[in-house]
Amino acid sequence: MARGLPARPPVPVLAGVLIDANEDGTLTLSAFDYEVSARITVPADVAEAGQVLVLGRLLADISRNLPNKPIDVSTDGTKVNVACGSSRFALREMPVADYPTLPASPETSGTIAGDVFTQAVAQVSIAADKGDTLPILTGVRMEIDGDKVTLLATDRYRLAMRELTWSPSVTDASHVALIPARQLSDTARALGASGSVELALGQGGDGLIGFEAGQRRATTRLLDGEYPKVTSIFPTSVDTEAVIETAALEEAVKRVALVAERNTPVLLKFTDGQVAIEAGTGDDAQASEAVEATLNGPEIQIAFNPQFLLDGLHAVGTAWSRLSFTQPSRPAVLTGQAEADSEPDTSYRYVLMPVRFAS
């Protein structure tokens, strides 16, 4: 929950976490910064019901470092006391009256398996833009059509798309939402990969998406605007395909990229039976390594930003990777597959723009 707290809140009170002790034997912690809200409810022995507001990041730091023993929380004047074993902390109480009301989550639209949701968000959000030149590209586009969900993100240098199925509340469900990638990643990690996640997309005017898993709930404000039509980036034909063991290629690229200075590419030379990976030119440091590969089609040399290539290899999540090419100057497509000779799993596709390699 502390991950969602603003580092520099526009209003000091938004740095707080609201602790609500209820007579029904539950403790609810809430955080909100007008963009993202998070709430978790846990069982507690409540002697006296009430609400207090304390600095969220400080409370999180304290909680992480406490021994594995029961925690007592009590108030004393303007202080909130936290005790665990022989540890004692007195935190300043912030004004509860100034804290904004958390938004109500829209009505549930359907459910999705927690592990599938967590993996899909991680696979796609890596390709979202990290800058703020084009705010629309900092989002993940979620499109729902019946029982099919498509997540898509691009920063113009690579594009990631994941297709998955879910259980919608109505069979003709149809939604398009643009969710800030960073908040979506934080929420997916916080909800965890176990059980199922409820998605709440509400009506068009809400401007919110809600998530719920077990006793954790969150909402995120959606981005406004029309996402560019980027699916035309996917090549319509393939001339060369290479199948490589994912871990072997990832490790080799990591090693070779050690000599690739900032913004310089790694060159991949695909020949029958192997791919040679090279970096560095001229008088600069140089490195090379070869990895076994199965090649179908003409030999090809193509260069990529090493970090963007590593991001895709890390995200693909399968033992083997398939790289599909048309020409050295055209986008390449990375997909995964379970075995060296099995069909590719096209539910996740990672498109990578090549870069020019100064030979």
Side-chain angles (χ1 to χ4, degrees):
M1 175 176 287
R3 202 185 280 128
L5 289 164
R8 296 181 189 83
V11 186
V13 79
L14 296 181
V17 159
L18 185 67
I19 303 172
D20 190 348
N22 204 301
E23 285 169 342
D24 66 2
T26 59
L27 190 74
T28 300
L29 298 118
S30 308
F32 182 42
D33 67 354
Y34 291 114
E35 296 294 325
V36 180
S37 78
R39 199 177 310 186
I40 181 168
T41 302
V42 294
D45 293 326
V46 179
E48 186 181 343
Q51 285 186 328
V52 291
L53 186 69
V54 295
L55 273 174
R57 287 180 185 269
L58 179 58
L59 182 64
D61 288 343
I62 291 168
S63 303
R64 267 195 295 270
N65 288 286
L66 289 176
N68 187 15
K69 293 178 180 178
I71 300 170
D72 287 320
V73 181
S74 59
T75 55
D76 180 12
T78 59
K79 296 286 186 186
V80 178
N81 297 319
V82 178
C84 179
S86 60
S87 299
R88 299 282 184 274
F89 296 88
L91 310 184
R92 182 173 63 85
E93 188 176 346
M94 300 166 77
V96 173
D98 296 348
Y99 200 70
T101 305
L102 269 70
S105 186
E107 212 169 296
T108 299
S109 309
T111 58
I112 189 165
D115 57 342
V116 174
F117 177 69
T118 306
Q119 185 196 35
V121 169
Q123 287 178 319
V124 171
S125 55
I126 51 164
D129 202 344
K130 308 296 185 288
D132 50 11
T133 320
L134 279 171
I136 204 93
L137 295 184
T138 63
V140 170
R141 184 182 189 270
M142 176 187 281
E143 182 176 355
I144 289 170
D145 183 12
D147 67 350
K148 186 174 141 188
V149 180
T150 304
L151 299 176
L152 183 146
T154 183
D155 60 5
R156 294 169 296 169
Y157 304 106
R158 65 266 182 77
L159 180 150
M161 187 165 98
R162 171 72 194 266
E163 295 171 322
L164 50 131
T165 55
W166 77 320
S167 303
S169 303
V170 291
T171 52
D172 60 348
S174 178
H175 291 280
V176 174
L178 195 54
I179 311 159
R182 189 174 61 81
Q183 283 89 325
L184 181 61
S185 293
D186 288 347
T187 299
R189 281 201 297 269
L191 293 176
S194 58
S196 63
V197 175
E198 291 183 6
L199 297 186
L201 285 143
Q203 302 308 310
D206 291 345
L208 281 181
I209 183 169
F211 306 91
E212 187 167 340
Q215 297 302 309
R216 296 174 183 266
R217 283 160 290 168
T219 64
T220 299
R221 186 158 295 286
L222 300 174
L223 293 169
D224 286 328
E226 190 70 31
Y227 202 75
K229 291 179 171 49
V230 290
T231 47
S232 58
I233 291 172
F234 286 104
T236 51
S237 63
V238 173
D239 293 338
T240 300
E241 285 190 315
V243 176
I244 312 143
E245 194 178 345
T246 307
L249 181 59
E250 190 177 353
E251 290 303 317
V253 171
K254 267 185 198 167
R255 283 189 287 270
V256 172
L258 293 172
V259 302
E261 292 186 10
R262 186 176 167 79
N263 296 331
T264 60
V266 290
L267 178 66
L268 276 64
K269 296 179 175 178
F270 290 91
T271 53
D272 191 27
Q274 72 164 39
V275 53
I277 305 141
E278 299 177 3
T281 56
D283 295 332
D284 298 329
Q286 292 169 288
S288 65
E289 186 166 338
V291 176
E292 277 186 41
T294 305
L295 195 70
N296 285 312
E299 295 181 355
I300 189 170
Q301 294 188 19
I302 190 165
F304 297 115
N305 173 307
Q307 191 53 55
F308 292 173
L309 177 57
L310 288 168
D311 285 345
L313 291 169
H314 186 70
V316 76
T318 50
W320 295 84
S321 288
R322 181 182 297 235
L323 281 157
S324 306
F325 311 100
T326 48
Q327 298 165 6
S329 59
R330 303 289 301 148
V333 181
L334 170 67
T335 51
Q337 56 194 66
E339 304 288 344
D341 55 358
S342 60
E343 287 298 306
D345 176 3
T346 56
S347 66
Y348 178 61
R349 288 180 286 168
Y350 184 80
V351 181
L352 200 48
M353 301 296 286
V355 291
R356 205 167 64 81
F357 188 84
S359 54

